[in-house]
Amino acid sequence: RTLKDILLHLPVLMMMVSVASALSSMQKKVAVIGATGRLGRQTVLKLLSKKIPVKILVRHDISAVKMPENLESANTSAEVAAYFASLPSVELVEGDVTNKDSVAELVKVKSVYIYSSHAHSVFC
């Protein structure tokens, strides 16, 4: 991904955060699929900066992953997930977007759902 890719997605990101910001007073969690990707991690960070708790779907068991000192030093999606897991307003759901039980666990939030994964072939 390039900066151009991120900038192309910026309007979508800002729209998603605007919707989520409207819910911030309700203190509901925002469910995010694709949170360890470039757009997804920026979405999570923006939500957290607005004091909005998030619940993210991750594919990796992070119990054996060394947590990076900061998000910028994370080299893999598992390390991004480990970093997010260390934050107080982030809840992780281990699973896969193609598994209906994983997604069902994630969306128990009954709030806003953000899909920022690039795995579009899953739904085609």
Side-chain angles (χ1 to χ4, degrees), residues 35-61:
T36 61
R38 290 187 187 263
L39 179 60
R41 72 181 74 172
Q42 295 305 315
T43 302
V44 170
L45 291 175
K46 192 69 168 174
L47 291 167
L48 294 175
S49 76
K50 302 265 186 198
K51 308 270 191 268
I52 301 169
V54 297
K55 189 173 182 180
I56 64 176
L57 184 66
V58 296
R59 292 177 289 169
H60 310 283
D61 173 12

Side-chain angles (χ1 to χ4, degrees), residues 15-123:
M15 181 270 310
M16 292 184 297
V17 171
S18 294
V19 170
S21 293
L23 296 173
S24 64
S25 62
M26 295 184 225
Q27 286 305 307
K28 292 186 177 184
K29 291 182 181 176
V30 175
V32 181
I33 295 174
T36 61
R38 290 187 187 263
L39 179 60
R41 72 181 74 172
Q42 295 305 315
T43 302
V44 170
L45 291 175
K46 192 69 168 174
L47 291 167
L48 294 175
S49 76
K50 302 265 186 198
K51 308 270 191 268
I52 301 169
V54 297
K55 189 173 182 180
I56 64 176
L57 184 66
V58 296
R59 292 177 289 169
H60 310 283
D61 173 12
I62 61 164
S63 59
V65 176
K66 181 181 176 196
M67 188 184 74
E69 291 181 27
N70 54 51
L71 193 55
E72 292 77 29
S73 64
N75 294 316
T76 66
S77 58
E79 289 177 356
V80 172
Y83 175 80
F84 281 147
S86 72
L87 302 177
S89 296
V90 177
E91 179 183 348
L92 269 62
V93 173
E94 190 177 329
D96 190 279
V97 70
T98 62
N99 181 300
K100 67 179 181 180
D101 294 330
S102 298
V103 175
E105 178 63 29
L106 178 73
V107 299
K108 283 183 182 177
V109 182
K110 292 187 175 49
S111 189
V112 174
Y113 312 110
I114 298 175
Y115 180 80
S116 63
S117 175
H118 188 59
H120 65 278
S121 62
V122 169
F123 299 106

